[in-house]
């Protein structure tokens, strides 16, 4: 079995590559990543010499390149993590989100159709559903919840999902989609909430919290997410969407206070800042379909997961310090430059 993982140098993608390389030594795992600001090959340093792993640098929106890659490799499964994913960046520059998240997905779909891929899996987000009111804790996103996007980022992801389902309906391409809640865990890029708060708290810097910190997110440990995708690509029903949620709802302020308590830092570091435009209030996923059809259950609750994550950042300071300083971007050249000449 040969599997293409796009965006495999990003946060969730790199964790998934680790998961697959270690669990399936008989598979070939090809990691395709453009290495934009959030792609970091140092996250894969411990497996880069494994015989069942290979890295390829490239852009999913580059049609000639993608077609040549599919012609050469003849993938059995494609798992598409590659995406621009930071909401604030999508507000500043929506165009790149359309280019990568929509156009790039369409190129991958065309290549998968042309070369007979047995399963195309799209990694999506619960943000395509919009948000839920804070005063209705009984409401959850299901796979039949209408799409109702709030940001250019979520709009681009919803558009990609619709293309994926259209290729199933129109061309019979064997597809699946997963929509996950907020992930956390190792190798999380430092501009995201949890690693940002950990790193700034360690340096006794102010912690920027949007609005009053009341926005609620359902936190999913990245390893639980990887296990879910593994199940879906092997056993999920073609043409179906599966929601992946952690049953771990917390307000942003609760998350920040949990981090401060674990690091023995004062809450006076919290600094409330002007809220993001169109900031979604609450995300909460009902993963019943995934649990009943495929037997998935999360292995982490938030208390154990966040403690493990904080410990990981404390013991892997070199990893995130190189990102903060910008040095991580030199790793590709140091590791692969001579090989590619």
């Amino acid at each position: 079995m040969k599997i293409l993982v796009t965006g495999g140098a990003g946060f969730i993608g790199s964790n998934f590559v680790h998961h697959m390389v270690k669990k399936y030594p008989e598979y070939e795992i090809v990691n395709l990543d453009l290495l934009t600001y959030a792609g970091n090959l140092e996250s894969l340093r411990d497996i880069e010499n494994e015989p069942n792993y290979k890295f390829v640098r490239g852009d999913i929106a580059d049609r000639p390149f993608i077609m040549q890659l599919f012609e050469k490799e003849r993938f059995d499964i494609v798992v598409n993590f590659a995406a621009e994913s930071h909401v604030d960046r999508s507000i500043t520059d929506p165009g790149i989100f359309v280019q990568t998240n929509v156009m790039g997905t369409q190129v991958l779909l065309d290549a998968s159709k042309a070369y007979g891929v047995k399963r195309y899996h799209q990694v999506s987000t619960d943000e395509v559903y919009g948000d839920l009111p804070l005063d209705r804790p009984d409401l959850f996103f299901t796979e039949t919840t209408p799409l109702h996007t709030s940001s250019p980022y979520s709009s681009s992801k919803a558009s990609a999902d619709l293309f994926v389902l259209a290729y199933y309906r129109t061309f019979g391409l064997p597809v699946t989609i997963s929509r996950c809640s907020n992930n956390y865990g190792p190798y999380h890029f430092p501009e995201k909430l949890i690693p940002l708060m950990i790193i700034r708290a360690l340096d006794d810097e102010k912690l920027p919290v949007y609005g009053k910190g009341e926005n609620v997110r359902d936190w999913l440990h990245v390893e639980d997410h990887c296990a879910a995708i593994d199940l879906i690509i092997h056993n999920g029903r073609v043409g179906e969407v599966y929601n992946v949620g952690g049953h771990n709802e917390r307000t942003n302020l609760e998350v920040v206070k949990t981090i401060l308590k674990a690091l023995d830092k004062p809450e006076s570091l919290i600094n409330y800042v002007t809220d993001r435009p169109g900031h979604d209030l609450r995300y909460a996923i009902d993963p019943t379909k995934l649990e009943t059809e495929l037997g998935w259950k999360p292995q982490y609750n938030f208390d154990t997961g966040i403690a493990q994550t904080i410990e990981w950042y404390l013991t892997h300071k070199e990893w995130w310090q190189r990102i903060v300083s910008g040095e991580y971007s030199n790793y590709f050249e140091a590791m692969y430059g001579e090989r590619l000449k």
Side-chain angles (χ1 to χ4, degrees):
M1 186 84 74
K2 183 177 287 190
I3 300 180
L4 174 66
V5 180
T6 70
F11 164 43
I12 307 175
S14 64
N15 277 278
F16 184 72
V17 169
H18 276 101
H19 173 90
M20 297 298 287
V21 166
K22 293 173 182 176
K23 184 176 179 181
Y24 300 103
E26 72 279 16
Y27 286 10
E28 294 180 63
I29 308 299
V30 179
N31 172 13
L32 171 66
D33 200 292
L34 186 57
L35 298 182
T36 57
Y37 75 95
N40 185 2
L41 286 177
E42 292 195 49
S43 302
L44 298 151
R45 186 192 291 264
D46 60 332
I47 62 166
E48 62 191 3
N49 293 317
E50 292 295 326
N52 63 331
Y53 170 75
K54 178 168 69 174
F55 173 74
V56 177
R57 188 174 189 177
D59 185 353
I60 62 170
D62 183 342
R63 183 175 292 272
F65 167 78
I66 291 296
M67 289 299 180
Q68 289 174 8
L69 182 65
F70 275 65
E71 169 71 29
K72 176 184 176 183
E73 299 288 352
R74 302 288 173 158
F75 301 109
D76 297 293
I77 297 175
V78 174
V79 183
N80 181 27
F81 289 94
E84 296 286 343
S85 63
H86 197 277
V87 175
D88 287 343
R89 288 176 182 259
S90 80
I91 294 171
T92 304
D93 182 13
I96 187 62
F97 285 73
V98 176
Q99 176 68 15
T100 299
N101 299 359
V102 184
M103 302 302 293
T105 295
Q106 198 253 331
V107 169
L108 289 174
L109 290 168
D110 279 345
S112 297
K113 178 168 69 75
Y115 291 98
V117 165
K118 298 179 180 67
R119 176 64 62 94
Y120 175 94
H121 182 77
Q122 180 77 2
V123 181
S124 188
T125 170
D126 60 357
E127 294 189 43
V128 300
Y129 298 124
D131 61 356
L132 297 165
L134 294 176
D135 59 355
R136 289 293 306 275
D138 56 313
L139 295 180
F140 296 88
F141 297 137
T142 70
E143 290 80 1
T144 59
T145 300
L147 304 186
H148 188 69
T149 61
S150 303
S151 68
Y153 161 64
S154 57
S155 297
S156 68
K157 292 296 288 185
S159 299
D161 286 3
L162 293 174
F163 267 97
V164 172
L165 294 174
Y167 270 61
Y168 168 66
R169 176 76 179 267
T170 304
F171 304 113
L173 186 67
V175 307
T176 42
I177 297 173
S178 57
R179 293 174 179 154
C180 68
S181 54
N182 283 46
N183 280 219
Y184 69 102
Y187 304 113
H188 204 173
F189 198 75
E191 72 180 2
K192 299 291 188 173
L193 177 69
I194 287 177
L196 179 67
M197 297 299 125
I198 294 171
I199 292 167
R200 292 184 68 85
L202 286 172
D203 289 335
D204 295 307
E205 295 180 323
K206 290 290 187 180
L207 309 185
V209 175
Y210 281 133
K212 298 179 181 178
E214 296 174 336
N215 305 73
V216 174
R217 299 295 180 260
D218 176 13
W219 291 97
L220 173 70
H221 195 282
V222 68
E223 291 182 15
D224 284 328
H225 187 195
C226 292
I229 296 172
D230 182 359
L231 280 171
I232 295 168
I233 63 175
H234 286 99
N235 302 314
R237 288 187 292 138
V238 169
E240 294 294 318
V241 175
Y242 293 91
N243 282 351
V244 191
H247 290 302
N248 289 300
E249 290 185 57
R250 298 288 191 283
T251 67
N252 288 345
L253 187 58
E254 286 174 322
V255 171
V256 173
K257 287 184 176 181
T258 298
I259 292 169
L260 288 171
K261 183 177 180 181
L263 296 175
D264 194 26
K265 297 291 185 177
E267 291 185 4
S268 58
L269 289 177
I270 295 173
N271 183 34
Y272 297 100
V273 299
T274 303
D275 208 353
R276 168 197 295 157
H279 198 178
D280 287 336
L281 296 175
R282 172 176 171 254
Y283 302 146
I285 272 187
D286 179 356
T288 299
K289 179 177 177 179
L290 180 64
E291 293 173 345
T292 55
E293 285 193 17
L294 302 182
W296 176 84
K297 289 284 186 182
Q299 300 302 303
Y300 290 85
N301 62 47
F302 188 74
D303 292 333
T304 58
I306 192 64
Q308 182 218 55
T309 300
I310 292 170
E311 180 63 22
W312 189 90
Y313 278 88
L314 289 175
T315 56
H316 291 77
K317 288 185 178 181
E318 181 181 353
W319 180 85
W320 56 262
Q321 285 172 343
R322 285 175 61 79
I323 294 176
V324 172
S325 70
E327 292 180 13
Y328 79 104
S329 61
N330 299 325
Y331 183 73
F332 173 81
E333 185 62 31
M335 185 64 200
Y336 292 93
E338 289 299 320
R339 299 184 192 185
L340 299 178
K341 289 178 181 177

